[in-house]
Amino acid sequence: RKLNRNSSEVTEFILLGFRTASDIQIISFLFFLLVYMVIVVGNISMIIVIRMDSRLHTPMYFFLRNLSYLDLCYSTVIAPKALATFLSKDKKISYNGRAAQFFSFALCVGTEGFLLAVMAYDRFSAICSPFLYPVRMSQQVCVHLVIGSYICGGINSMVQTGFTFSLRFCVENRLDHFCDVPALIKISCVDRSVNEMVLFILSSLIIVTTSVILVSYAYILSTVLKIPSIHGRGKTSTCSPHITLVSLFYETVFFMYAQPGAISSPEKSKIIAVFYTLIIPMLNPLIYSLRNKEVKNAVKRVLLRKVSFH
């Protein structure tokens, strides 16, 4: 445990990870490596397909392309170091390295949360106000909404990083996992009341954002029930992947941050952290490709174009 001689403050952290037998560690490493490879291939493929197929140059797929980019980024912030801890005896990360990792992760996750709300508004506009949709979701508006999501995510990240790393870590420097704010607050050696209040406020924003999304889909559902034609109702099929995605993302984040006391076991906390840092970024492109005919058709067109080119 490395301490600063002058202030006796922690200058590095030890990442405990999953404490299992050595043979299980290798199996875990291979499993998480496979998951990370699926994340990289799946999200890069989604980005390429959306960019190459002109029929997917619509607001919904513009947002989806940015979602794939965020999933790729925040899993990459966590996965390489997590994989290294499975095989390496050196499980340390410097204080500055941990702060940089935390800032990057909070930026991507925060931005994704706001982007999911934007995507819900996009579906709301497309289904509830189809005639105004081209005006409400013009290219300029879409770009501004994405930039706004990044700005809000950046503010969230700066606030969380600033308050969390203004704490002093005097003796304890062992962290159960990579991305948990409560874990960092827990091992600090000063009064944590302000940080806990900030975490509560940010957690409240999660609930507010979720409420906005739920209200959007309540309006969408009421509009769908009024559509007499099967063709009209077919337009709502694009909502299904998004509802699945939102449910997975916000439920896991809610359990981690909005009610951190509900998870008493560190091992359960690690499992939930792994779920939304690796499993959700892996599932997102699969959900949108397997449950979306437009994406499946676009993949076929891109593959046929490559075959005919060769």
Side-chain angles (χ1 to χ4, degrees), residues 182-256:
L184 282 164
I185 294 176
K186 184 179 178 181
I187 66 171
S188 67
C189 58
V190 293
D191 179 52
R192 306 185 289 259
S193 57
V194 175
N195 295 77
E196 289 171 350
M197 180 60 68
V198 170
L199 184 60
F200 173 77
I201 292 170
L202 293 174
S203 300
S204 300
L205 288 176
I206 296 173
I207 298 171
V208 171
T209 307
T210 308
S211 300
V212 170
I213 293 172
L214 290 175
V215 169
S216 296
Y217 280 108
Y219 275 105
I220 290 171
L221 180 61
S222 65
T223 303
V224 168
L225 294 175
K226 296 174 185 177
I227 298 175
S229 67
I230 297 175
H231 175 71
R233 294 191 181 190
K235 292 181 180 179
T236 62
S237 61
T238 53
C239 294
S240 177
H242 188 250
I243 293 172
T244 305
L245 190 157
V246 167
S247 300
L248 289 171
F249 181 84
Y250 278 105
E251 282 178 19
T252 50
V253 172
F254 178 81
F255 277 109
M256 281 296 295

Side-chain angles (χ1 to χ4, degrees), residues 141-172:
V141 171
C142 291
V143 171
H144 287 165
L145 286 171
V146 170
I147 292 173
S149 296
Y150 277 96
I151 291 172
C152 292
I155 293 170
N156 166 69
S157 181
M158 285 188 286
V159 170
Q160 285 205 54
T161 306
F163 275 94
T164 302
F165 285 88
S166 64
L167 293 169
R168 290 181 63 193
F169 305 97
C170 304
V171 179
E172 183 61 69

Side-chain angles (χ1 to χ4, degrees), residues 101-167:
Q101 185 189 55
F102 182 90
F103 176 84
S104 302
F105 180 78
L107 171 64
C108 293
V109 172
T111 302
E112 178 159 332
F114 289 107
L115 186 61
L116 289 173
V118 168
M119 292 173 74
Y121 173 72
D122 170 68
R123 291 299 83 205
F124 167 78
S125 299
I127 294 168
C128 298
S129 305
F131 297 109
L132 296 175
Y133 181 70
V135 178
R136 286 184 177 178
M137 301 304 292
S138 65
Q139 183 177 1
Q140 186 177 13
V141 171
C142 291
V143 171
H144 287 165
L145 286 171
V146 170
I147 292 173
S149 296
Y150 277 96
I151 291 172
C152 292
I155 293 170
N156 166 69
S157 181
M158 285 188 286
V159 170
Q160 285 205 54
T161 306
F163 275 94
T164 302
F165 285 88
S166 64
L167 293 169

